[in-house]
Amino acid sequence: MGDATYAKGLEGVIAAESEICLINGAEGKLYYRGYSIEDLAKSSTFEEITYLLLYEKLPTESELSSFQNKMRKSRPIDTVVQNMITQFPEKGSPMELLQSVITYLSSTVSHTIHHSDKCNCRDTLHQIAQLATVLAMYQRVREGKSYVAPREDLSHGANFLYMMRGEEPDPAEGAIMDKCLILHAEHGFNASTFTARVVASTLSTCYCSISAAVGALYGSLHGGANERVLDMVDAIGSLDNVESWIDKAMAEHKKVMGIGHRVYKAKDPRATVIEEYLKTLSENKGDSFYLDMLTKIEATVNDRMKAEGKLLFPNVDFFSGAVYSLLGIPRDLFTPIFAISRVSGWLTHILEQRKDNRIYRPKCLYEGPQGQSFVPIEDR
Ligand SMILES: CC(C)(COP(=O)(O)OP(=O)(O)OC[C@H]1O[C@@H](n2cnc3c(N)ncnc32)[C@H](O)[C@@H]1OP(=O)(O)O)[C@@H](O)C(=O)NCCC(=O)NCCS
């Protein structure tokens, strides 16, 4: 093996230099291009942080206005994409639909790929703009309803809710949806982002890179824990059952969903922000079932883990599913919503990869047979 080291799952391996996202797992801090996630969630919009990620700086008013205008004008989907949605097999998943649409979009543009400065990824904002439209229409079609064209006067998040519901959301709900997109837009070298960079490193198109990233996110070890948090809350059923359920789960060495993180060894800062949104929505809707259950689950896990000398905290998925659910979003759209947000981060990483590209080509540790003699098929 020479000097090479082997790290299963590439744990601890630094695969590239990056200026996009800093995660301080020990202190539970997250920054996009040096700006704290708390500040961005409080004061920014999904469109503005998309600009920040793609252009490496916060926009001026006129830069934001022209970027926003371009992205909003890119929101409508053409009839071919609408037909893809209506004809999509019923048993197909929305993630497969998103991959198909991205591949279709790729075939509609001319690609000036192959090198960073000539790449047109930044100009093809319809990847970022249209995935939300596709997902909203997908939901309507399966409810037997028709396409609702996007509006240009709403934020990305509010417009998603509008297109899905067919009516304008309450401003607080629209703002919370938009902020949830901010919180999920970027998170360093996770599996889907790494996938996007690996594909981009071959000088494939940004569309193919993003389609591959959607495929990586589809896997249950990456997206989807927020869905399972709600399944867990359903299984527990009531506040009275929380402690006994957690004790049994721990005795059986089962993982409590939405708890723990490979990188964060403190409370995930996104969880802290989303918890506030859950409080707001629970109060506005007069429905605190999820909030009460999750609060008690968190306290119980905390208590039991401390007794075992372990420090485990909620991650972003712990509260996000409950927020989406109160926004009227079905559970199987939670991971696709992650994709409609993370596409900004993926695109940013593709651009960064191309700036100083070298194709990814790790080695494997060969453990198979050697020196075999070939036996003709008739003699086997
Ligand atoms: C996120 C996750 C995969 C991180 O895994 P990891 O970094 O490999 O952490 P480990 O599995 O090594 O956990 C360390 C210890 O904490 C325990 N632990 C970790 N997460 C736990 C959880 N959710 N519930 C109960 N115990 C947990 C492990 O059993 C392990 O205990 P041990 O040292 O006695 O074996 C893991 O915490 C998990 O499965 N969480 C639930 C699923 C989830 O919420 N995923 C979304 C992540 S954003």
Side-chain angles (χ1 to χ4, degrees), residues 169-207:
D170 159 88
E173 292 192 11
I176 286 175
M177 186 69 231
D178 201 62
K179 287 173 188 302
C180 286
L181 297 180
I182 294 178
L183 297 176
H184 287 87
E186 168 53 21
H187 210 234
F189 263 54
N190 54 81
S192 58
T193 300
F194 186 52
T195 302
R197 288 188 75 130
V198 169
V199 178
S201 82
T202 70
L203 300 185
S204 181
T205 71
C206 48
Y207 293 83

Side-chain angles (χ1 to χ4, degrees), residues 225 254-262 305 310 312 315 317:
K254 279 193 192 145
K255 295 267 172 77
V256 180
M257 287 297 116
I259 300 284
H261 198 277
R262 171 62 59 81
M305 290 295 170
K310 289 183 203 164
L312 285 174
N315 58 53
D317 291 315

